[in-house]
Amino acid sequence: MLLLAVDTATPAVTVALHDGESVLAESNQVDARRHGELLLPSVDKVLAEAGVKLEAVTGIVVGVGPGPYTGLRVGLVTASTFASVLGVPVHGLCTLDGLAYAAGAAGIEGPFTVATDARRKEVYWARYEDPRTRVGEPAVDRPADIAERVAGLPAVGQGAQLYPEVFTDARAPEHQSAAALAGLAVERLAAGAEFLPPTPLYLRRPDAQVPKNYKVVTPQ
């Protein structure tokens, strides 16, 4: 087993290579506006550090969000392209689940909340009973609207750091880690669990939309 994991659903551009037992190499950069520029060089760096050729990869793991439209698509398109070229499966995982798994590695047992920045003064969030067990589906809300539901719970993710008046017990990790995502995928593969398709989990419409009343100009 040799899994290449990527996630660009958050400001973190994160890549890791996992052999089924441990992480061989990883790269983590935080830059919300440069996903497209940073991802492929990060993949090259991780493969070089591990001394592995891309052709040796046996599976791709990708965070499917929730996340903002543009950044999220960078990772998903890249993962699907790699999988197609290599003829290997691509395993989709909820980005929040990866953060929850990383929280467990950091010592949080549960229950707790994961919250990432959804922009527009909102967060993508979910509650967890433990690092491997999510309660319900991910959602997007204004922090004030969920204050009672997350009150008193530890919280991880950048969203928790941005709104300390709601997430009063914000803890590390703040950003997503492909290494954690890969570790979670290894466990799920061993258990025969199902994965998500490599399609984006937006939870809301993208910022850029076609105008409703645009003028159509046709040649005479």
Side-chain angles (χ1 to χ4, degrees), residues 142-175:
R142 290 184 177 274
D145 294 340
I146 60 172
E148 292 185 3
R149 300 166 67 182
V150 302
L153 293 177
V156 303
Q158 189 182 39
Q161 302 286 341
L162 289 172
Y163 302 99
E165 69 280 5
V166 172
F167 302 98
T168 57
D169 187 8
R171 305 183 188 182
E174 180 178 354
H175 295 291

Side-chain angles (χ1 to χ4, degrees), residues 24 30 37-38 41 48 51 77 85 88 90 139 162 180 216:
L24 301 181
V30 179
E37 297 175 45
L38 297 175
V77 169
V85 170
V88 300
V90 56
L162 289 172
V216 177

